[in-house]
Amino acid sequence: MTDEHEHYEAVVVGAGPGGAAAAAVLARNGVETLVLERGVEAGSKNVTGGLVYAEESAPYTVDALFPDFREEATERPVTDYYLHNVAGEQVETFDITDLHEHDTEWSDAVLRREMDSWMADRVHELASETGGGLLTDVRVNGLLRDGGEIVGVTCDELDPIWADLVIAADGVNSELARDAGLMDWDDPDEWFQGVKAVVDVPSEIIAERFGVGDDEGEAHLFSGDLFEGVRGGGFVYTNEDSLSIGSVFHLDSIVEQEAEPHQLLDNLLTHPLLADWLEGHYDEVEYSAKLVPDSKKAANPSPHEGRLLAVGDAAGQMQAQGPIIKGMNHAVSAGALAGEAFAEAKLRGKPEQAGDLYERKLREEGVMGKLRPKGYRVASALGEREPVANATDSLLTSPVGRLGVRLLGDRLEDLYSSPYLSQIVPDTQTPYVTLPTVIAEELGERVAGEADFEPKDLATRIGDLTYDTDVGNPHIELLDDSVAASGAAVTACPVSAKDFGGGCYREETVKTNGSEQKRVSLDTQPCVECGTCAVVADTDWEHPRGGKGVEFEQG
Amino acid sequence: MHSVVLTKGVPDFREGQVSFDEDGHLERGATPTVMNPNDEFALEAALQTKVKQGGQVSVMSMGPPGYESVLEEAMSVYADDLYLLSDREMAAADTWSTAITLSGGVEKIAERDGQSGEPDLVFAGFKTADGETGQTGPQTSWCLDRPIVTHVISLTVDDEEETLRAKRLVEGDANEIETVEAPLPAFVVTDPDFEPSYRRAEHRLRHKRLKAETEERVEEYDEHLTTWSAEDLDLDPDFIGLDGSPTIVSGVDPIPKAPSEREATTVAPDDEEEMEQLIDEMRPLAGGE
Ligand SMILES: Cc1cc2nc3c(=O)[nH]c(=O)nc-3n(C[C@H](O)[C@H](O)[C@H](O)COP(=O)(O)OP(=O)(O)OC[C@H]3O[C@@H](n4cnc5c(N)ncnc54)[C@H](O)[C@@H]3O)c2cc1C
Ligand code: SF4
């Protein structure tokens, strides 16, 4: 009786968009579905920029799976989309709304705590009808195996659970995908790091400063010289009565430049354009960070192993399409396709074929093609080689290049708006830093604003976050504390900094037998669980137990 | 499985809630009544049996009509039925006459039509925040003639075997944990260290469902409330209330009052000289040289 093990037809790990979509489709197909989420509430561990896209060509959209989604779970639709090329106070703004609207049915700004917990309620209702449901506060810590075969999951808080299908929708730091060998965290150049601040601004002020009505919203992107040469960009999205302000950078570039992520965010926050928007209204309510996979390099073309199917960030399916970031919509598509694949395979009496069927659907529905565009492979093979990249940069900054930029003038805006080009831009300094800077210098206008505030310092940002500390259960172990192996974490960790004593990582000078050595030390207390150090340092890294650790109120 | 949880309303002793008069006596009128904090563990234990075994939880309290609010609080911890034993005759009871009254209530539940018969488990919390005697539970179990397990920190029920297995805390020179088994129907007194444990998803899901159901029920808690008088329970007036209380209070020590004014000096944390002085003053108090 009590020692008999528990079994569900499907166990979905993670209640982000990928897990929610998978569970909704499974439950609607009558599959007994259990969803396990480690946060105190769905969304409490999650961070996004974030704009949710519904693509015209996508097999599934979030509002099709969850009716009333837009009315009840999102902030504002994005009706205008701008790219600001910045060189100091010189700014040249391109209207790239056309690019944004390409293949887009709609796109809304969201905050994850609200969005995910709203979806979780629906998922719980649907799954309850199958004899399952959604549980929070449960962290899945590994795959249950029987004779080498995956047969279910193991958890911190529950006894092992057997399942015919396990969906790894556990996000960018997927412990399950790692466990199954579907993903590794070795290469910083396969990841972006996102850092974000949510700033409360009354809706009247948003309406006034951005010139938008109740059902309108804007997206502003920033590139150029305001990020100390780190490859990536900044964003400002309008929510109902707050702004999401953040940055997304290539992780390898952050490491190389020894950049401090929170300072890069501050550079954006204090830029003259933001000074105008925020004047008298800088009320930062949450600081957060997370990694995102670069699908061009990390999307696994075959994201399954036995009964385990990985979806969303756990399968590396986060697409950076030029300045447009699409992860949530792909997580939804993939999650739903995985659910569909299992339901079909089960109907045919061959549930073990779900993985192959899922892989085929990803390909045939065009999801894989977007995640790993063919054109990028060709362009990057050429453009990302260092001599070529350097040559491009020096050409652009030369008088000839500058003349070219001036001659192109308005046509540059069209080029930037090309959906094809945006998919294949190489990941070099050129598109993020050099070209925008030259554009701003040659074509831009001076912006005069000056910030009437100091951005919150790191200690306050950390102090304002909610943590349920898990004393005695450190979820990160530093395996090699030498600066060579783990030093990058001191600067790259978004809650640590070189000259800051209070973050997770610190560099220390240790005196032993008359000699001095630099060592890295770790304190997991203020960790926002972004996963950066799992990639850049030598650690044994896992998530904290269910409900423990940081709890985002906004996300 | 039917569990009855005994709970008591006590003055809210939390800081800022409690009022004392000039002599240090508690001002009942000015101090809100809340559920005895230790009883929350008894409720948790009953809830756990309901989640794992199914069935229902009744909560019972003896007290004046004002105690309804305490029962309302109990409702929000997933109770199905609430019983208030309330009568002037029951007033000023000591632990013994309270036990007689409560056992009368439990027996009445057992007799009631449509009920599953005698409650399988009766739960009480460890001592109350006001009286602190810890006697009412054991005395009630004696009146009911049930086996009793006290200081329970974890509990499993086997409905087929009709037994309960409990871990109990035995305090002595060192804290020991003892595992005991008892036949049902039984009486359980929970320890403040009681922790419910839900290691199966199925149980957590049921817990979640019950919680949602209860949220609706709390709104209309009075529909689930039954009030019984001494007459309803057929209790002999000589054995309840003040008349039935053999305990005589020989005296009450007033709570020493804090001095109304204390001297305070503000020390600036960055004033080194003042800090030094402060440390010197504190050193003897801390037992230093
Ligand atoms: C700064 C930033 C900006 C972004 N901007 C955008 C944008 O504008 N538009 C866009 O579409 N995308 C954006 N993204 C990417 C997007 O947020 C992700 O691609 C998307 O959230 C992936 O969804 P998912 O369901 O795969 O994973 P997640 O949303 O990460 O969900 C994973 C869930 O699994 C849970 N979980 C993890 N491990 C376990 C475990 N062991 N046990 C139980 N539960 C577990 C987590 O708590 C979480 O709820 C951005 C990301 C960042 C960081
Ligand atoms: S300790 Fe690691 S996971 Fe935590 S915030 Fe820093 S880099 Fe991110």
Side-chain angles (χ1 to χ4, degrees):
Chain A
M1 189 193 67
T2 35
D3 44 10
E4 187 189 304
H5 62 240
E6 261 194 296
H7 172 269
Y8 288 85
E9 268 186 291
V11 170
V12 177
V13 183
V25 170
L26 287 165
R28 288 212 176 94
N29 280 289
V31 177
E32 183 198 30
T33 305
L34 174 68
V35 185
L36 300 174
E37 162 59 47
R38 71 192 169 98
V40 279
E41 195 185 25
S44 62
K45 293 285 180 186
N46 301 343
V47 180
T48 196
L51 306 181
V52 172
Y53 286 87
E55 290 184 319
E56 276 153 11
S57 62
Y60 284 94
T61 59
V62 62
D63 60 326
L65 290 174
F66 300 101
D68 303 327
F69 176 82
R70 298 190 69 195
E71 289 73 31
E72 295 179 18
T74 70
E75 298 285 317
R76 289 169 188 263
V78 176
T79 42
D80 290 291
Y81 204 98
Y82 301 100
L83 181 89
H84 304 283
N85 298 283
V86 178
E89 288 169 3
Q90 293 267 117
V91 178
E92 170 64 7
T93 300
F94 290 158
D95 181 342
I96 53 168
T97 310
D98 284 349
L99 171 65
H100 160 76
E101 287 178 349
H102 168 76
D103 191 24
T104 300
E105 216 176 291
W106 55 263
S107 155
D108 288 359
V110 290
L111 290 166
R112 289 296 294 276
R113 180 69 179 253
E114 186 172 336
M115 166 183 150
D116 291 15
S117 58
W118 182 90
M119 285 195 300
D121 287 346
R122 268 83 216 148
V123 166
H124 178 64
E125 241 169 71
L126 286 168
S128 295
E129 282 168 28
T130 69
L134 180 147
L135 290 175
T136 52
D137 274 326
V138 178
R139 168 183 164 245
V140 172
N141 59 20
L143 293 165
L144 180 68
R145 288 189 170 85
D146 187 10
E149 299 262 310
I150 296 167
V151 292
V153 294
T154 57
C155 313
D156 289 341
E157 297 80 6
L158 300 174
D159 295 336
I161 300 170
W162 266 249
D164 307 333
L165 168 75
V166 177
I167 301 241
D170 49 344
V172 64
N173 306 316
S174 172
E175 291 174 84
L176 295 189
R178 258 196 314 164
D179 191 337
L182 296 175
M183 177 191 272
D184 62 46
W185 290 347
D186 295 342
D187 294 321
D189 68 352
E190 292 185 357
W191 308 90
F192 300 99
Q193 186 199 60
V195 170
K196 174 176 153 186
V198 176
V199 178
D200 266 359
V201 180
S203 58
E204 325 76 86
I205 302 292
I206 292 182
E208 179 194 310
R209 300 202 175 160
F210 291 87
V212 291
D214 280 350
D215 264 338
E216 294 172 334
E218 291 188 353
H220 294 263
L221 302 174
F222 295 81
S223 56
D225 73 353
L226 75 175
F227 299 119
E228 299 162 22
V230 184
R231 297 194 327 272
F235 60 83
V236 175
Y237 303 141
T238 52
N239 300 318
E240 248 156 49
D241 46 17
S242 63
L243 298 176
S244 291
I245 304 175
S247 53
V248 177
F249 296 109
H250 280 279
L251 186 55
D252 56 335
S253 181
I254 292 183
V255 172
E256 271 159 30
Q257 310 286 331
E258 294 185 17
E260 296 286 0
H262 67 108
Q263 271 166 9
L264 300 179
L265 175 69
D266 289 351
N267 290 358
L268 174 61
L269 274 167
T270 51
H271 186 268
L273 265 182
L274 276 87
D276 286 343
W277 293 332
L278 292 175
E279 196 188 344
H281 288 279
Y282 169 72
D283 176 12
E284 186 181 317
V285 289
E286 188 166 275
Y287 173 76
S288 57
K290 197 123 216 107
L291 283 191
V292 255
D294 180 354
S295 68
K296 296 194 293 300
K297 293 162 185 154
N300 187 333
S302 183
H304 59 97
E305 172 67 36
R307 296 181 192 182
L308 179 81
L309 276 56
V311 309
D313 280 6
Q317 296 165 338
M318 201 329 287
Q319 182 197 14
Q321 180 188 341
I324 292 182
I325 295 182
K326 292 180 169 176
M328 291 181 278
N329 58 317
H330 291 307
V332 166
S333 287
L337 291 177
E340 194 187 279
F342 180 77
E344 278 177 33
K346 182 187 150 192
L347 204 66
R348 295 184 204 158
K350 299 219 158 78
E352 69 283 357
Q353 289 180 355
D356 289 330
L357 198 53
Y358 166 55
E359 180 179 333
R360 206 166 77 211
K361 282 173 186 285
L362 280 178
R363 232 179 18 244
E364 287 173 0
E365 295 285 355
V367 180
M368 255 350 263
K370 289 179 197 164
L371 296 172
R372 297 189 84 131
K374 275 209 188 79
Y376 169 75
R377 248 175 291 157
V378 179
S380 65
L382 200 65
E384 283 175 19
R385 296 219 328 261
E386 214 168 295
V388 181
N390 291 345
T392 322
D393 270 18
S394 24
L395 174 68
L396 262 175
T397 47
S398 72
V400 179
R402 289 174 182 277
L403 176 70
V405 165
R406 278 201 300 279
L407 286 178
L408 273 169
D410 283 353
R411 269 181 297 154
L412 269 171
E413 184 169 285
D414 299 339
L415 279 178
Y416 262 87
S417 295
S418 153
Y420 176 71
L421 280 182
S422 70
Q423 284 199 357
I424 64 167
V425 278
D427 284 332
T428 59
Q429 293 274 112
T430 319
Y432 296 109
V433 186
T434 324
L435 179 60
T437 310
V438 172
I439 290 174
E441 281 166 357
E442 297 304 321
L443 308 171
E445 276 175 32
R446 192 162 292 279
V447 207
E450 199 172 322
D452 64 348
F453 59 86
E454 278 275 321
K456 269 192 188 175
D457 62 21
L458 194 52
T460 316
R461 284 176 167 154
I462 299 171
D464 286 348
L465 286 167
T466 306
Y467 294 94
D468 185 353
T469 47
D470 199 3
V471 183
N473 282 296
H475 60 281
I476 306 176
E477 198 193 329
L478 197 56
L479 296 176
D480 184 342
D481 65 357
S482 69
V483 172
S486 301
V490 177
T491 46
C493 168
V495 293
S496 303
K498 196 108 188 171
D499 302 318
F500 177 60
C504 293
Y505 283 93
R506 275 181 296 280
E507 207 175 272
E508 288 172 342
T509 310
V510 184
K511 289 192 184 128
T512 34
N513 301 335
S515 72
E516 267 191 10
Q517 270 185 317
K518 283 211 186 312
R519 293 257 166 260
V520 176
S521 73
L522 167 68
D523 173 2
T524 59
Q525 189 86 348
C527 176
V528 290
E529 299 164 36
C530 67
T532 299
C533 59
V535 181
V536 306
D538 188 6
T539 61
D540 192 0
W541 195 101
E542 48 183 37
H543 290 295
R545 290 183 298 159
K548 297 291 184 182
V550 69
E551 176 188 335
F552 294 121
E553 309 285 344
Q554 312 277 332
Chain B
M1 190 72 32
H2 185 186
S3 302
V4 177
V5 184
L6 307 179
T7 179
K8 188 186 181 194
V10 295
D12 190 348
F13 284 116
R14 280 171 312 166
E15 198 156 347
Q17 298 288 334
V18 60
S19 306
F20 297 103
D21 70 11
E22 283 187 0
D23 302 326
H25 291 124
L26 180 74
E27 288 192 296
R28 290 236 174 220
T31 305
T33 302
V34 294
M35 186 181 11
N36 176 40
N38 276 338
D39 297 349
E40 282 171 24
F41 303 101
L43 277 163
E44 278 292 347
L47 170 61
Q48 186 190 283
T49 41
K50 175 168 161 177
V51 167
K52 292 188 179 173
Q53 266 70 40
Q56 69 199 97
V57 174
S58 304
V59 179
M60 179 180 286
S61 190
M62 183 194 85
Y67 270 35
E68 282 173 16
S69 65
V70 175
L71 290 169
E72 183 185 354
E73 209 180 319
M75 183 60 116
S76 64
V77 206
Y78 317 163
D80 296 87
D81 298 299
L82 308 172
Y83 294 92
L84 178 62
L85 314 183
S86 189
D87 198 316
R88 273 175 191 284
E89 300 270 354
M90 296 173 190
D94 68 358
T95 59
W96 180 242
S97 65
T98 304
I100 291 183
T101 312
L102 288 172
S103 60
V106 174
E107 275 160 2
K108 173 101 178 165
I109 290 185
E111 282 165 22
R112 262 180 55 152
D113 286 344
Q115 292 283 354
S116 46
E118 187 175 14
D120 306 274
L121 283 161
V122 180
F123 290 94
F126 179 52
K127 68 190 181 187
T128 52
D130 53 357
E132 292 227 328
T133 65
Q135 289 168 2
T136 311
Q139 287 172 343
T140 310
S141 93
W142 191 87
C143 295
L144 289 167
D145 195 19
R146 286 179 172 225
I148 180 169
V149 189
T150 57
H151 289 288
V152 169
I153 55 170
S154 79
L155 182 75
T156 50
V157 174
D158 187 331
D159 17 10
E160 274 166 32
E161 296 290 320
E162 295 194 19
T163 53
L164 74 80
R165 243 167 184 276
K167 283 202 167 72
R168 58 188 302 268
L169 205 60
V170 190
E171 282 184 50
D173 290 341
N175 279 353
E176 268 177 48
I177 291 170
E178 177 177 88
T179 305
V180 297
E181 204 172 88
L184 298 180
F187 198 104
V188 171
V189 178
T190 50
D191 189 88
D193 277 346
F194 178 86
E195 258 192 76
S197 149
Y198 302 101
R199 298 281 312 172
R200 286 174 80 90
E202 169 201 6
H203 292 150
R204 291 198 181 206
L205 288 169
R206 204 174 296 150
H207 191 288
K208 188 165 164 169
R209 202 185 62 228
L210 289 176
K211 186 172 172 188
E213 281 172 19
T214 313
E215 268 158 22
E216 289 169 23
R217 215 164 43 227
V218 169
E219 307 274 302
E220 49 196 43
Y221 81 97
D222 45 351
E223 284 181 23
H224 302 268
L225 175 72
T226 308
T227 307
W228 281 329
S229 66
E231 204 183 323
D232 292 330
L233 298 180
D234 205 13
L235 295 173
D236 183 337
D238 289 343
F239 289 100
I240 60 168
L242 186 61
D243 293 347
S245 298
T247 318
I248 294 162
V249 179
S250 65
V252 177
D253 290 330
I255 299 172
K257 272 202 294 183
S260 56
E261 264 185 42
R262 277 183 272 200
E263 269 181 42
T265 321
T266 315
V267 179
D270 40 13
D271 185 328
E272 260 181 52
E273 206 174 305
E274 283 189 8
M275 282 308 261
E276 292 280 351
Q277 211 176 329
L278 175 71
I279 291 165
D280 283 344
E281 278 180 40
M282 281 169 64
R283 205 166 269 148
L285 300 174
E289 26 65 271

